[in-house]
Amino acid sequence: MAADSANEPALALAFPDYREPAERFAAAAGIGCEAIRVHHFPDGESLVRLPDRLPEHVALYTSLDDANQRLIELELAAATAATLGAERLTLVAPYLCYMRQDAAFRPGEAVSQRIVGELLARHFDTLVTVDPHLHRTARLADAVPVRRAVALTAAPLMADWIAAHVNEPLLVGPDEESAQWVSAIAASGETEFCVARKTRLGDRDVRIALPEAGFAGRNVVLVDDVASTGRTLAAAADELARRGAASITVLVTHALFVGDAWATLRAAGVSRICSTDSILHESNGIPLAGLLADTLLNPD
Ligand code: R5P
């Protein structure tokens, strides 16, 4: 049965870069999927075009990597959907941007998490995302004040992937903030885990202190929510290699992998990298379509 309780079924609308995962999501949810067309003018402005008639419930699908561009295009699409018959908008954004700036760390800084959250809540009734970076903010609804804010976790899927690919794994979280994800994966797979301490000195300057655990000869899986420059995971991998780990695998929910992140991780001794398909990347090995669709099919 289709997802919506209204007469018309819901419709998924896919932004161009996310057409394939949006179609997988729509197929799993048993709903249709149509394209959002985006034209980029030479000056960098975007023209967004939707199907000209929409049902009552529309689910817009895009991850919010490359956030500054995608947010404005999402804003254009959501405001337009409301003029084309959509009365209820769901945002399916497996990766939710601007979650890490959850406080003003220095006087005068924007608290981006709250500001972007309020922007999204102007249009959307429901938000569905995966492993959002909630650290000082306890609940997703506190960051994005929509009627229904759903924070899914990829932890069970990651635990399954580890069980299928890594022999006698030891899970390591590179910093205190990763403890929530690494402990959830460890609990799903009944696996050993520990958490390191991180000191960030700059965007690409990170120091990691590993706990006093036995890493020699172990198949270590480094787990984090986001890999951006890759420096957090690379610094951890450097230390693990120094302590004699037999193999180092990286497993992340959101594969931003900007610039030379991929090469930096390989140079640090990482032999295998896997991510969910929340952000499209060659490391994608864990599809999220079923997890996301379940939320649409089972609203409560
Ligand atoms: C922060 O705590 C996040 O969980 C990640 O560890 C961080 O965003 C990774 O950034 P990078 O890859 O640039 O070190």
Side-chain angles (χ1 to χ4, degrees):
M1 201 173 78
D4 207 357
S5 58
N7 288 339
E8 279 183 293
L11 175 70
L13 289 182
F15 278 86
D17 291 345
Y18 281 94
R19 186 76 196 258
E20 285 177 22
E23 281 174 351
R24 290 196 288 271
F25 156 75
I31 62 174
C33 182
E34 291 191 37
I36 296 174
R37 293 191 166 69
V38 180
H39 174 72
H40 294 125
F41 291 107
D43 61 6
E45 290 186 0
S46 303
L47 174 64
V48 166
R49 185 166 163 223
L50 275 55
D52 59 10
R53 282 199 52 216
L54 295 174
E56 181 253 340
H57 183 194
V58 168
L60 272 72
Y61 190 112
T62 185
S63 258
L64 291 169
D65 54 312
D66 201 359
N68 295 352
Q69 182 174 329
R70 291 201 205 280
L71 277 174
I72 191 74
E73 291 172 359
L74 184 62
E75 177 79 11
L76 294 170
T80 305
T83 70
L84 297 170
E87 291 170 24
R88 191 152 59 90
L89 289 184
T90 292
L91 172 59
V92 182
Y95 173 64
L96 188 58
C97 59
Y98 279 112
M99 287 295 105
R100 285 164 286 180
Q101 181 74 17
D102 59 2
F105 299 101
R106 286 172 298 186
E109 281 185 355
V111 182
S112 314
Q113 184 191 80
R114 196 180 62 228
I115 296 166
V116 170
E118 283 169 2
L119 186 77
L120 295 175
R122 282 179 49 211
H123 294 295
F124 292 98
D125 169 79
T126 299
L127 165 67
V128 182
T129 190
V130 181
D131 291 337
H133 192 95
L134 298 175
H135 181 44
R136 279 159 284 263
T137 308
R139 297 177 324 134
L140 180 61
D142 297 333
V144 187
V146 288
R147 187 185 63 80
R148 183 170 173 243
V150 183
L152 300 169
T153 179
L157 299 173
M158 288 173 141
D160 289 348
W161 186 90
I162 292 168
H165 293 91
V166 187
N167 191 30
E168 295 186 19
L170 168 60
L171 309 193
V172 176
D175 56 21
E176 291 87 341
E177 292 170 48
S178 67
Q180 58 180 300
W181 296 288
V182 74
S183 61
I185 297 168
S188 283
E190 296 181 26
T191 314
E192 291 173 73
F193 79 98
C194 62
V195 174
R197 271 183 299 112
K198 171 164 84 177
T199 309
R200 185 177 282 285
L201 305 172
D203 288 343
R204 289 178 166 74
D205 191 0
V206 171
R207 308 288 151 86
I208 296 287
L210 292 175
E212 285 309 318
F215 299 104
R218 299 299 308 266
N219 293 317
V220 175
V221 183
L222 270 169
V223 172
D224 210 352
D225 60 333
V226 187
S228 178
T229 67
R231 294 322 193 258
T232 297
L233 294 165
D238 271 334
E239 283 301 304
L240 287 164
R242 222 173 42 81
R243 303 263 287 263
S247 70
I248 305 169
T249 298
V250 156
L251 182 57
V252 293
T253 307
H254 308 296
L256 287 172
F257 290 123
V258 300
D260 62 356
W262 185 260
T264 305
L265 286 169
R266 294 285 186 203
V270 172
S271 53
R272 187 157 42 175
I273 305 176
C274 180
S275 61
T276 76
D277 64 357
S278 84
I279 295 170
L280 297 182
H281 187 266
E282 62 185 287
S283 61
N284 291 171
I286 301 175
L288 294 173
L291 182 70
L292 294 165
D294 275 351
T295 309
L296 205 74
L297 291 167
N298 304 301
D300 294 307

